[in-house]
Amino acid sequence: MKSVLLIGLGRFGRHIAMKLNDFNCQVMAVDNDEERVNTSLSFVTNAQIGDSTSEEFLSTLGVRDYDVCIVTIGDDFQSSLETASLLKELGAKKVIARASKGAQEKFLLRNGADEVVYPEKQLAAWTAIRCTSDHILDYIQLDGESSIYELTIPDDWHGRTIVQLDIRKKFGINILGIREKGRLNMDVAPDTMLSREKSILVLGRQKAIQKCFHI
């Protein structure tokens, strides 16, 4: 069970806290707004009102004891930067911080953050990819070249099996799963028959997927 120190309970931080709760993580939430702290009590393990830019306050939280510290302060970059830096100085094992601009991402990485999440940039990329083709149902970028896509079954694949298509050999694309009637089956056999009612989850280089699915 992961233990998480979450600093910042705005909309982004609150959604992270809820999802961490779904995964049974122990979450200590911190915000300087009493109302935000009070409304989070139902989905976090504990919560405190406090100033995360105060070294004295952060020292009382036992920063070293958490598996990860997440800084989701979105409306005050100076506070976010100071918090990330202080967490690292106090011995935090891993610090993940939120950025809302490219320049912020660079400053956070130079001043204590081990990783930076850039929600607007990531969502923009996801939205752009989704809009490029009616075939694309979902998309996850793994690195600069490889991605996971969920796509509808092309018309000319209807009634054919995985082995007949052989897209792994032709395009270097791995089939991870088949979704049918809302259920995702990750145990895909070579003789699995494809149809228009299904969607397919694939992993491969972006250019290969674009070529294979005519995106």
Side-chain angles (χ1 to χ4, degrees):
M1 182 185 295
K2 289 277 188 178
S3 58
V4 180
L5 173 60
L6 177 67
I7 298 177
L9 286 167
R11 286 175 294 180
F12 185 60
R14 188 166 62 251
H15 284 300
I16 290 178
M18 290 176 177
K19 185 55 67 174
L20 289 170
N21 181 59
D22 290 342
F23 285 104
N24 298 315
C25 293
Q26 292 184 333
V27 180
M28 163 64 84
V30 173
D31 200 284
N32 59 8
D33 186 295
E34 182 177 1
E35 183 178 353
R36 288 179 177 179
V37 170
N38 289 337
T39 56
S40 73
L41 293 174
S42 62
F43 49 83
V44 299
T45 310
N46 203 348
Q48 287 194 30
I49 304 167
D51 178 9
S52 63
T53 64
S54 165
E55 184 175 356
E56 182 179 359
F57 171 70
L58 284 184
S59 298
T60 67
L61 300 177
V63 168
R64 296 174 181 268
D65 298 330
Y66 295 95
D67 294 308
V68 60
C69 300
I70 306 176
V71 182
T72 62
I73 302 170
D75 54 357
D76 185 346
F77 178 65
Q78 185 64 36
S79 293
S80 180
L81 190 64
E82 290 179 24
T83 299
S85 181
L86 281 173
L87 286 170
K88 210 61 182 178
E89 288 177 13
L90 292 170
K93 297 174 185 175
K94 184 175 184 179
V95 178
I96 300 175
R98 175 191 179 182
S100 57
K101 297 179 181 178
Q104 292 180 1
E105 184 176 6
K106 295 177 182 178
F107 277 114
L108 286 165
L109 289 171
R110 292 172 183 170
N111 292 273
D114 297 296
E115 294 180 21
V116 173
V117 292
Y118 192 165
E120 290 84 358
K121 180 180 178 180
Q122 291 158 346
L123 183 58
W126 180 83
T127 303
I129 291 291
R130 284 285 306 273
C131 291
T132 58
S133 171
D134 293 336
H135 288 303
I136 301 172
L137 302 176
D138 208 348
Y139 159 83
I140 301 172
Q141 185 171 346
L142 301 180
D143 59 27
E145 294 185 347
S146 299
S147 303
I148 296 174
Y149 283 78
E150 182 177 355
L151 305 114
T152 58
I153 302 296
D155 289 339
D156 57 352
W157 288 19
H158 177 70
R160 302 177 69 184
T161 64
I162 299 295
V163 71
Q164 286 174 333
L165 293 167
D166 201 12
I167 63 172
R168 183 174 184 178
K169 181 178 180 181
K170 295 176 181 177
F171 300 96
I173 296 172
N174 292 298
I175 297 175
L176 303 180
I178 303 290
R179 191 187 300 276
E180 184 176 14
K181 296 180 180 178
R183 298 189 64 179
L184 182 62
N185 176 20
M186 303 294 285
D187 185 17
V188 182
D191 60 353
T192 299
M193 184 79 70
L194 299 178
S195 65
R196 297 182 185 89
E197 295 76 26
K198 301 176 182 179
S199 61
I200 190 169
L201 196 68
V202 299
L203 165 64
R205 294 182 181 275
Q206 187 161 309
K207 289 184 178 179
I209 292 174
Q210 289 173 331
K211 183 176 181 180
C212 178
F213 289 90
H214 307 292
I215 297 172

